[in-house]
């Protein structure tokens, strides 16, 4: 193949959401030659869609809040499958990172005494989410983007990375991809690489995720030999829109419930009171009166069951619909109209108002919304070392949704945005340290690059009946129906078979048109990662024979204490996809006591 | 079931034309759904940008029946049903392919605006700002960078030559956002006057009309900015006074109705 465009950097960050931006800012701040690569335009990454807020124990609204309580909430929400060290660092560092955003220009909503206001969210004991109305992700990404621009970081927009490249020593050395505008290839050599590619939700039919969330980072890390953990831990958000069909799956922020909204079934009943699990019984209100008092007085009342962790609420909604008590379009009702004034709703939830008004013709200040579970967030992913964000491949780092560990089996709302800035920064530091101390200059193998590109370009010339859209469609149907919110052995086995067939079909898809800005071809190059990651999710789900957090098995409805102590680790060994149980890191006693009741 | 015809511009920098696609109509769909269905069917290579499908990312800008709009927030049932729906790329920016344009102009302008430079923190390590004081900035920070306002602004729409001297509404507003930020200390007035073309805006308000975030770009952004820059030129003390007044205001109590800075 002829010479291709190539670039040399100290640190290449793949992904320009909150995590990637924060990592690049750190590396650039260290004076390293830093590149930031993303599939979309700068500022459009998934982070922009985050609504409710970023969790940090600032203690501005409840002075009794502190990192210990945040740590506890995160671990309990994650059903203790979390990497304790990540949860500790996250709880300790989130407040500094939020304050840092403010010093970079972010304008958060304020308390009456002028500090950053915090809102209530599920699973958080205190009002903890720093926010800007319901567009917190936009504020975060714009602040970081403007900071990156001010620092003159090299940005490669609409550039899709296909594969990571290691050198003879096994160190991460570069990456290869193409420009979407022209379809021309581009390669990078790098002393260290940070993956910040976000989520995997695009493989489900009903999802809050954008076209970008195809799990490229998880797949590329896996192909490069890195470990993936907890791949079965997929979060279904309890409240997605269910109607009209064209917006089915679109997120309805948990902020609606945090601000007073309640869930009702077709009989008008607040059914969440029937689904309070043992683990949270002591801290959850059991009468409507107590739940309603809680909004104004957290100290003397327990929280409403609508604000249980997401896995609990999603399962409960699912059960109500199954029992025939759903709404006309197969969801349940989320009602804030009868509970808060129109003025309050407009101020607190402006984009939800807008979204329902314009897309569903529903006025949320006078009518209830119809909502149901939707695929939302990937807790599992690339295994990282807590302090440095290093993966198990030398020179490769990962942060944000693509990395695993912090959230365990279930993520609390608001803990992702804070994750991005805490571990984005740490990944930037880890990668910078590695780049500075690296032995030997990175080199990439041109023959390997040629092979990767040849494979990527193959669908363009090929004759064949299958379009990449058909394969994507069938994958989404498969994952939705067989690897969805409630799972069972026979269906998972069937899913694994089907994914195998889809992989064969994906190898034969043909695409019309040329390379220049061709979405059909772009999708064809996303399919290998979607399929690899889907397979890993199904395999993990099959092997975890228990229910824990986001992973629910019909045939094993209870958590299994023995399985609660292991991660399922997936890796390629001599070309073979393996899955092995490995012990979780042990938590020091002084942290373990924080998890007990009363703390 | 009824049908709709989508008349979509297909082409590249060398030229192109509208092509018709006729599809069944479904309840509740938006223009972007039609584009997606065309991609999944007859034209998998039809180029368009999108991410959020909820009016939050500003990727899917286009000209729908001649109006600059977001494809994901334009419902089919609000467009006339008896005629084809025309979708064309934004005209102000060079076409890459089909509905995708080269918006790099905007990213270049963004680099020319000197960044935020905050004053020091309070003694307790916080920044105190009253909600009332951040409201104005928050309005501007709702901007999703769809660049529809840039597209519609006549100063650059058919005047490629003006792009070198004119920031366009999105970035004049960005300057006002920084200017009104309670913590910012930097002076961007000379730049606005001499290089970013503030005077070239003649307040037609077309930008405000197309903004999907309903930001009052002209009334709340550009006009106050013009006033500040003009009176700064004549009365530097007044400008400075205003910045200092704003910055030194104590953490406002609910009851206080401090004089508005503008
Ligand atoms: C609707 C919605 C609302 C949410 N609300 C909240 C909330 O209120 N609070 C909260 O804490 N969390 C929330 N979340 C979750 C949170 O927003 C995401 O988990 C988080 O933004 C992910 O950030 P990230 O930096 O890891 O990746 P992303 O923001 O997803 O960015 C991924 C980046 O990687 C790039 N990329 C991917 N693959 C490639 C490739 N092959 N080559 C080059 N570039 C690539 C993409 O272009 C993109 O720039 C929400 C999520 C959604 C969908
Ligand atoms: S008001 Fe000014 S910026 Fe807005 S469209 Fe008119 S000339 Fe352009
Ligand atoms: S100001 Fe409005 S129209 Fe202009 S880019 Fe921002 S959101 Fe779009
Ligand atoms: S797709 Fe995000 S604004 Fe339309």
């Amino acid at each position: 193949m002829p010479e291709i465009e190539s670039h040399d950097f100290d640190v290449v960050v793949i992904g320009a959401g909150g995590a990637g931006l924060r990592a690049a800012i750190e590396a650039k701040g260290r004076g390293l030659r830093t590149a930031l690569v993303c599939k979309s335009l700068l500022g459009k990454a998934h982070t922009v869609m985050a609504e409710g807020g970023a969790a940090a124990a600032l203690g501005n609204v409840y002075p009794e809040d502190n990192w210990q309580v945040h740590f506890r909430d995160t671990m309990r929400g994650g059903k203790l499958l979390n990497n304790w060290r990540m949860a500790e660092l996250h709880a300790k560092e989130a407040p500094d990172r939020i304050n840092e955003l403010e010093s970079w220009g972010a304008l958060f909503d304020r308390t009456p005494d002028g500090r950053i206001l915090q809102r209530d969210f599920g699973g958080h004991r205190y009002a903890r989410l720093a926010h800007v109305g319901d567009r917190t992700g936009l504020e975060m990404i714009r602040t970081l983007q403007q900071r990156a621009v001010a620092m003159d970081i090299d940005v490669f927009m609409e550039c899709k990375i296909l594969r990571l490249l290691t050198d003879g020593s096994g160190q991460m050395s570069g990456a290869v991809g193409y420009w979407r505008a022209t379809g021309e290839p581009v390669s990078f050599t790098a002393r260290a690489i940070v993956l910040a590619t976000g989520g995997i939700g695009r493989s489900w039919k009903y999802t809050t995720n954008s076209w970008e969330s195809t799990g490229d980072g998880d797949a590329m890390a896996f192909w490069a030999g890195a470990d993936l953990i907890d791949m079965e831990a997929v979060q279904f958000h309890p409240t997605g829109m269910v109607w009209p069909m064209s917006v089915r799956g679109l997120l309805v922020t948990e902020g609606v419930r945090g601000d007073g909204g309640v869930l009702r079934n077709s009989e008008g009943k607040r059914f969440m009171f029937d689904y309070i699990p043992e683990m949270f019984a002591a801290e959850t209100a059991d009468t409507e009166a107590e739940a309603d008092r809680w909004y104004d007085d957290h100290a003397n009342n327990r929280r409403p069951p609508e604000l249980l962790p997401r896995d609990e609420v999603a399962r409960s909604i699912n059960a109500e619909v199954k029992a025939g008590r759903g709404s006309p379009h197969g969801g349940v009702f989320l009602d804030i109209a009868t509970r808060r004034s129109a003025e309050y709703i407009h101020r607190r939830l402006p984009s939800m108002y807008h979204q329902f008004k314009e897309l569903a013709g529903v006025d949320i200040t006078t009518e209830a919304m119809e909502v149901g579970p939707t695929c939302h967030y990937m807790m599992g992913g690339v295994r990282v070392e807590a302090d440095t964000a290093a993966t198990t491949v030398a020179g490769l780092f990962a942060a944000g949704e693509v990395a695993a560990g912090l959230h365990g089996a279930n993520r609390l709302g608001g803990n992702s945005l804070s994750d991005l800035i805490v571990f984005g920064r740490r990944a930037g530091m880890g990668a910078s340290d590695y780049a500075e101390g690296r032995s030997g200059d990175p080199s990439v193998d041109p023959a390997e690059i040629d092979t990767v590109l040849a494979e990527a370009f193959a669908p363009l010339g090929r004759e064949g009946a299958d379009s990449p859209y058909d394969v994507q469609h069938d994958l989404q149907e498969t994952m939705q129906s067989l690897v969805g919110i409630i799972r069972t052995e026979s269906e998972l086995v069937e899913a694994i078979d089907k994914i195998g067939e889809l992989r064969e079909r994906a190898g034969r898809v043909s695409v019309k048109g040329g390379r220049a800005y061709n979405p059909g071809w772009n999708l064809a190059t996303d399919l290998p990662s979607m399929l690899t990651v889907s397979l890993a999710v199904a395999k993990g789900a099959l092997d975890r024979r228990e229910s824990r957090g986001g992973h629910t098995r019909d045939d094993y409805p209870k958590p299994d204490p023995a399985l609660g102590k292991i991660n399922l680790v997936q890796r390629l060994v001599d070309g073979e996809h393996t899955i092995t149980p490995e012990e979780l890191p042990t938590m020091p006693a002084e942290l373990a006591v924080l998890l007990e009741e009363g703390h | 079931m009824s049908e709709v015809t989508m008349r979509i511009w297909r082409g590249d920098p060398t030229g192109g034309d509208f092509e018709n696609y006729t599809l069944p109509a479904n309840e509740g769909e938006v223009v972007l759904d039609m584009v997606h269905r065309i991609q999944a069917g007859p034209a998998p290579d039809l180029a368009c940008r999108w991410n959020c499908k909820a009016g939050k990312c500003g990727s899917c800008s286009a000209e729908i029946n001649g109006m600059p709009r977001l494809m994901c927030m334009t419902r089919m049932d609000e467009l006339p049903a008896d005629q084809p729906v025309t979708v064309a790329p934004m005209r102000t920016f060079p076409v890459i392919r089909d509905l995708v344009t080269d918006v790099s102009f905007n990213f270049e302008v963004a680099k020319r605006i000197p960044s935020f430079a905050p004053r020091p923190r309070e003694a307790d390590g916080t920044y105190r700002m009253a909600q009332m004081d951040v409201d104005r900035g928050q309005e501007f920070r709702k901007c999703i960078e769809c660049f529809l306002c840039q597209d519609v602004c006549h100063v650059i729409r058919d005047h490629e030559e003006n792009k070198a001297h004119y920031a366009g509404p999105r970035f004049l507003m960005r300057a006002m956002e920084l200017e009104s930020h309670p913590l910012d200390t930097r002076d961007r007035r000379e730049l606005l006057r001499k290089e970013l073309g503030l005077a070239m805006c003649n307040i037609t308000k077309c930008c405000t009309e197309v903004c999907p975030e309903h930001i009052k770009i002209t009334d709340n952004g550009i006009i106050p900015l013009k006033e500040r820059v003009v009176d700064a030129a004549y009365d530097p003390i007044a400008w400075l006074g205003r910045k200092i007044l704003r910055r030194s205001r104590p953490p406002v109590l609910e009851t206080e109705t401090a004089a508005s800075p503008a």
Side-chain angles (χ1 to χ4, degrees):
Chain A
M1 217 173 258
E3 273 287 285
I4 66 167
E5 177 184 339
S6 63
H7 300 270
D8 180 54
F9 285 95
D10 296 324
V11 175
V12 170
V13 179
I14 305 171
L21 278 160
R22 187 62 190 80
I25 288 168
E26 199 62 25
K28 182 75 178 183
R30 287 265 292 260
L32 297 181
R33 296 172 305 138
T34 305
L36 184 60
V37 188
C38 49
K39 287 205 279 194
S40 294
L41 297 175
L42 186 62
K44 310 297 182 199
H46 210 84
T47 299
V48 80
M49 296 161 68
E51 295 165 0
L58 293 158
N60 289 356
V61 174
Y62 286 86
E64 48 282 59
D65 197 13
N66 55 38
W67 76 261
Q68 287 92 340
V69 188
H70 192 183
F71 169 80
R72 168 193 178 276
D73 292 346
T74 301
M75 293 293 300
R76 285 169 62 90
K79 308 286 147 57
L80 309 189
L81 205 61
N82 324 51
N83 175 316
W84 64 265
R85 177 66 180 155
M86 289 178 87
E88 180 191 10
L89 289 170
H90 170 252
K92 283 183 173 163
E93 294 178 3
D96 286 348
R97 299 283 77 74
I98 294 292
N99 286 325
E100 179 177 76
L101 286 181
E102 195 171 51
S103 70
W104 293 346
L107 283 174
F108 292 104
D109 286 350
R110 318 307 298 180
T111 60
D113 68 348
R115 292 179 299 161
I116 296 173
L117 181 61
Q118 301 182 269
R119 74 149 46 108
D120 282 305
F121 243 53
H124 292 282
R125 171 172 284 196
Y126 299 111
R128 189 177 279 148
L129 273 69
H131 62 277
V132 185
D134 53 6
R135 56 162 192 86
T136 314
L138 172 63
E139 188 68 15
M140 175 176 284
I141 205 162
R142 203 65 83 227
T143 302
L144 292 170
Q145 170 187 350
Q146 284 161 351
R147 178 80 183 164
V149 166
M151 295 177 87
D152 202 21
I153 291 171
D154 281 297
V155 185
F156 294 74
M157 294 186 221
E158 299 200 310
C159 176
K160 149 110 180 169
I161 300 295
L162 293 161
R163 206 68 65 92
L164 302 173
L165 306 167
T166 43
D167 66 9
S169 72
Q171 289 183 96
M172 190 44 51
S173 291
V176 55
Y178 63 85
W179 291 105
R180 292 179 60 220
T182 58
E184 290 303 313
V186 54
S187 76
F188 296 86
T189 46
R191 303 181 70 82
I193 290 189
V194 177
L195 281 176
T197 51
I200 68 164
R202 202 61 201 156
S203 297
W204 280 261
K205 189 172 172 190
Y206 303 127
T207 174
T208 63
N209 288 196
S210 85
W211 71 270
E212 292 201 283
S213 304
T214 50
D216 294 1
D218 305 69
M220 292 192 293
F222 180 75
W223 297 329
D227 288 359
L228 305 180
I229 58 169
D230 304 339
M231 293 301 284
E232 62 283 4
V234 178
Q235 177 171 79
F236 289 79
H237 196 291
T239 59
M241 290 176 81
V242 296
W243 188 89
M245 276 316 282
S246 89
V247 290
R248 183 153 188 159
L250 208 67
L251 185 75
V252 180
T253 178
E254 189 165 321
V256 176
R257 282 170 286 138
D259 288 345
V262 296
L263 293 164
R264 295 186 204 279
N265 62 20
S266 57
E267 294 157 8
K269 179 170 179 204
R270 275 179 77 175
F271 59 83
M272 280 308 300
F273 287 97
D274 301 341
Y275 294 92
I276 301 169
E278 184 65 37
M279 183 175 185
F280 296 100
E283 55 199 73
T284 309
D286 49 14
T287 63
E288 293 194 20
E290 179 179 359
D292 287 347
R293 284 194 305 268
W294 173 87
Y295 290 98
D296 299 316
D297 178 6
H298 288 20
N300 299 306
N301 298 287
R302 294 170 298 172
R303 60 182 33 252
E306 281 86 1
L307 289 175
L308 282 164
R310 288 177 178 173
D311 50 331
E312 314 289 354
V313 183
R315 265 192 303 274
S316 313
I317 294 176
N318 205 63
E320 283 297 302
V321 175
K322 263 205 169 144
R325 294 187 293 270
S327 67
H329 299 96
V332 293
F333 296 104
L334 173 59
D335 165 30
I336 191 162
T338 65
R339 301 185 39 94
R340 296 289 182 267
S341 72
E343 187 275 325
Y344 179 89
I345 297 169
H346 280 296
R347 181 162 48 82
R348 302 283 298 174
L349 302 161
S351 61
M352 276 307 104
Y353 174 79
H354 200 61
Q355 181 174 315
F356 272 89
K357 188 83 193 155
E358 302 204 2
L359 295 174
V362 168
D363 179 349
I364 68 169
T365 66
T366 59
E367 299 165 77
M369 299 162 246
E370 274 189 76
V371 296
T374 171
C375 181
H376 185 54
Y377 185 86
M378 181 55 172
M379 276 76 67
V382 182
R383 183 188 222 173
V384 290
E385 207 261 315
D387 290 73
T388 60
T391 70
T392 50
V393 170
L396 181 64
F397 298 78
E401 192 169 341
V402 69
L406 169 60
H407 310 290
N410 173 57
R411 174 179 70 92
L412 297 185
N415 269 358
S416 170
L417 290 186
S418 43
D419 170 7
L420 307 183
I421 42 181
V422 168
F423 291 102
R425 169 172 166 274
R426 285 192 164 267
M429 295 182 345
S432 300
D433 288 343
Y434 190 90
E436 284 168 352
R438 182 186 175 110
S439 58
D441 286 336
S443 67
V444 295
D445 175 6
E448 191 182 351
I449 293 183
D450 286 351
T451 314
V452 172
L453 291 173
E455 206 178 291
F457 293 141
L460 284 164
R462 200 181 276 146
E463 297 286 324
D466 250 342
S467 138
Y469 289 97
D470 296 337
V471 176
Q472 174 183 250
H473 175 266
D474 293 353
L475 175 65
Q476 289 169 336
E477 292 284 350
T478 302
M479 295 305 281
Q480 187 72 33
S481 60
L482 304 176
V483 198
I485 174 166
I486 311 285
R487 303 157 177 180
T488 192
E489 174 156 337
S490 57
E491 292 186 352
L492 292 167
V493 170
E494 188 187 341
I496 291 171
D497 271 0
K498 286 209 164 156
I499 294 167
E501 285 162 29
L502 289 167
R503 289 180 107 170
E504 278 174 32
R505 278 172 62 194
R508 293 194 306 263
V509 290
S510 69
V511 174
K512 174 161 127 173
R515 282 189 208 168
Y517 223 113
N518 182 342
W521 173 55
N522 296 163
L523 174 58
T525 66
D526 287 340
L527 288 175
S529 21
M530 294 176 83
L531 288 158
T532 299
V533 170
S534 298
L535 182 64
V537 173
K539 275 180 181 273
L542 181 62
D543 275 22
R544 190 170 278 284
R545 290 182 179 80
E546 64 162 348
S547 293
R548 183 173 297 274
H551 169 69
T552 305
R553 286 280 299 258
D554 218 12
D555 42 356
Y556 299 94
K558 292 232 150 37
D560 173 343
L563 287 171
K565 295 192 171 61
I566 60 136
N567 289 128
L568 291 175
V569 183
Q570 306 198 38
R571 67 171 76 91
L572 270 182
V573 181
D574 301 326
E576 207 177 313
H577 187 151
T578 64
I579 176 161
T580 29
E582 288 182 27
E583 289 273 321
L584 284 175
T586 345
M587 197 182 325
E590 69 270 21
L591 290 178
V593 298
L594 296 177
L595 303 179
E596 287 159 18
E597 245 353 285
H599 266 279
Chain B
M1 193 188 283
S2 65
E3 291 194 324
V4 277
T5 298
M6 301 299 292
R7 200 169 155 261
I8 298 186
W9 195 87
R10 303 288 318 261
D12 60 27
T14 62
D17 206 348
F18 287 94
E19 232 171 89
N20 285 350
Y21 302 90
T22 301
L23 316 158
N26 297 332
E27 193 181 6
E29 284 191 322
V30 294
V31 171
L32 186 60
D33 289 312
M34 310 313 279
V35 171
H36 283 166
R37 283 208 273 136
I38 293 167
Q39 287 177 329
D45 62 337
L46 167 58
C48 93
R49 285 194 181 104
W50 71 282
N51 278 65
C52 67
K53 209 168 175 290
K56 295 192 166 84
C57 74
S59 300
C60 65
S61 307
E63 300 189 2
I64 300 168
N65 286 350
M67 273 298 285
R69 304 183 69 167
L70 297 176
M71 288 189 272
C72 71
M73 295 303 280
T74 306
R75 280 177 68 131
M76 291 298 293
D77 58 15
E78 59 171 274
L79 301 170
D82 53 348
Q83 56 202 45
V85 173
T86 305
V87 189
M90 289 191 284
R91 193 166 89 196
T92 299
F93 309 113
V95 164
I96 294 177
R97 234 182 123 243
D98 305 340
L99 302 176
V100 174
T101 58
D102 176 357
V103 290
S104 53
F105 164 69
N106 299 290
F107 291 96
E108 292 307 317
V109 177
K111 288 185 193 161
R112 292 169 59 198
I113 300 180
S115 60
F116 175 67
R119 63 169 155 90
R121 291 175 183 278
E122 313 288 331
D124 67 355
T126 65
Y127 283 119
R128 299 295 177 118
M129 291 181 263
Q131 184 64 44
M132 194 174 70
D133 292 338
V134 303
D135 281 345
R136 166 73 45 102
Q138 285 186 336
E139 179 189 6
F140 303 140
R141 288 180 74 83
K142 283 196 307 195
C143 170
I144 57 174
E145 300 209 321
C146 63
F147 307 130
L148 288 170
C149 57
Q150 304 284 86
D151 180 45
V152 82
C153 177
H154 66 97
V155 180
I156 44 177
R157 187 165 167 95
D158 288 312
H159 297 277
E160 195 56 37
E161 72 282 4
N162 284 345
K163 283 188 182 165
H165 324 287
Y166 189 60
R170 191 275 171 263
F171 295 100
L172 294 176
M173 181 187 85
R174 162 76 175 143
M176 183 59 191
E177 173 209 315
L178 289 163
E179 174 72 11
S180 60
H181 195 298
L183 304 178
D184 183 67
T185 56
R186 208 164 247 168
D187 181 357
R188 300 172 186 79
R189 293 164 301 154
E190 277 298 288
L191 184 87
L192 279 162
R193 229 149 35 110
K194 298 211 170 119
E195 290 180 36
L196 301 179
L198 181 59
M200 290 167 89
C201 161
N202 55 357
I203 320 187
T204 58
K205 302 195 186 183
C206 315
C207 51
T208 302
E209 268 162 44
V210 300
C211 177
E213 285 295 314
H214 308 294
I215 303 171
K216 300 215 164 51
I217 308 173
T218 342
D219 287 356
N220 292 349
I222 300 178
I223 295 173
L225 190 64
K226 279 176 180 264
E227 284 164 4
R228 286 176 180 225
V229 169
V230 169
D231 75 40
Y234 296 108
D235 188 357
I237 306 297
W239 177 84
L240 195 66
R242 204 159 40 210
K243 270 228 148 176
I244 290 170
L245 179 85
R246 194 184 66 231
R247 284 190 280 118
S248 61
R249 188 181 307 154
V252 177
L253 302 170
E254 293 283 71
T255 50
E256 189 179 300
T257 45
S260 155

